[in-house]
Amino acid sequence: MAFKTQIGKDIHQAAEILRSGGIVGMPTETVYGLAGNALNEDAVLKIFKAKNRPFFDPLIVHSHAISEISRYVRHIPERLLPLMERFMPGPLTVLLPRAAVIPDLVTSGLERVAIRIPRHPVALELLRSLDFPLAAPSANPFGYISPTTAQHVLAQLDGIIPYILDGGECGVGIESTIVGMEGDAIIVYRLGGLSIEQIEGCVGKVNIQDHSTSDPAGPGMLESHYAPRKPMILGDIDSLLEKYADKKIAVLSFCKKHDAGRSFILSPEGDIDIAAKRLFAGMRELDASDADLIISESLPEGGLGRAVNDRLRRAAATPKP
Ligand code: TXA
Ligand code: MG
């Protein structure tokens, strides 16, 4: 079915579409989501279709309050509670034993369901106005860069979804951090908008799982992901500029300006949070340029630098020139 896609700020209109089993673009503080009723299999199917997403890649269920979550999970491990109380709403997703109301399609048949409470006021108001939770992956075609503005969503889902709720530019800019328990250990399955320092400051040491390319339990960790269409190379920018001097190059740098035809500086003032916020917009802009190749560099590893570096590595895991 083809739609004339509208962008707007009408929460009631978005809610009406969702109540009738449709799907909409939704702002969150991390990235834009493609939302549908998580308890309605038909709506969830529409999400997979619109994104061209394989069914083995499960969806995050969004709610507006911890008190609501108990309807969708069998129990909450005690060790995760302080983390949830401190960082929900926020860029944190927790994997919890799922209750029977959650369709298999949402979890790809896995025993845990991913739950998140977004901190964006528009998302929270939308969720409060509904009597069901929203399944929402990032609103990009599978494997491509996540959207951080309503215009990014439109650029790729125009004609495919009826409505995009515009909540402005996402404040965090990278996806939520995904956390769960294995035995007594807290495991981080995806680095994201909540830093390891913040998590460990609350619950002590955690294990960061280093995912392989084909682990279906954490496909957000597929090696090539968040990827521009152009080849991207990560390394020392000056050396790479020299090495690929015969190519049209676009440079994505942390804070320094480089002499290249196209360039995007993530944060001239060297602020890692701003760099995270601008990362996907920068990747998109350079991907739309006439360059043959995008070159980029890693950020310092502290705070969100670690998650940004993870995204850069995955974006660069595409075929080299
Ligand atoms: O910040 C975010 O998390 C954004 C916004 C829209 O909330 N959502 C997002 O969704 O990034 P998505 O679908 O692009 O990435 C979710 C990741 C997927 O890689 C999926 O594999 C993992 O979460 N995931 C979801 N449910 C899971 C489950 N039950 N077990 C293990 N991994 C799960
Ligand atoms: Mg995604």
Side-chain angles (χ1 to χ4, degrees), residues 85-163:
E85 276 161 3
R86 174 105 168 254
F87 297 113
M88 290 182 148
L92 169 72
T93 294
V94 287
L95 299 183
L96 299 171
R98 72 159 159 156
V101 285
I102 300 292
D104 276 342
L105 200 53
V106 170
T107 65
S108 305
L110 296 171
E111 264 315 293
R112 291 186 295 186
V113 58
I115 304 270
R116 166 160 139 72
I117 304 177
R119 202 176 54 207
H120 196 295
V122 173
L124 282 173
E125 194 180 331
L126 176 66
L127 284 161
R128 278 193 210 105
S129 74
L130 300 168
D131 59 5
F132 49 81
L134 292 174
S138 52
N140 50 282
F142 184 68
Y144 195 64
I145 305 161
S146 297
T148 53
T149 66
Q151 287 68 33
H152 290 165
V153 181
L154 185 69
Q156 286 170 313
L157 297 179
D158 193 10
I160 297 175
I161 58 174
Y163 196 72

Side-chain angles (χ1 to χ4, degrees), residues 251-305:
V251 173
L252 182 69
S253 64
F254 174 35
C255 50
K256 280 207 244 27
K257 175 135 183 59
H258 291 268
D259 196 17
R262 305 268 170 189
S263 74
F264 191 100
I265 304 172
L266 288 170
S267 169
E269 52 289 275
D271 181 317
I272 291 185
D273 290 348
I274 294 175
K277 176 174 171 164
R278 285 165 46 82
L279 175 70
F280 289 147
M283 277 168 54
R284 276 174 185 263
E285 187 178 307
L286 298 183
D287 202 26
S289 76
D290 62 355
D292 305 318
L293 175 64
I294 302 170
I295 64 180
S296 186
E297 62 187 348
S298 298
L299 267 57
E301 276 277 309
L304 296 192

Side-chain angles (χ1 to χ4, degrees), residues 28 30-33 51 53 57-60 62 93 95 107 110 112-114 116 136-138 175-176 178 190 217-220:
T28 83
T30 57
V31 300
Y32 273 72
K51 267 194 70 117
R53 181 177 177 113
D57 196 359
L59 306 182
I60 297 174
H62 297 69
T93 294
L95 299 183
T107 65
L110 296 171
R112 291 186 295 186
V113 58
R116 166 160 139 72
S138 52
E175 300 84 350
S176 61
I178 303 181
R190 178 176 72 179

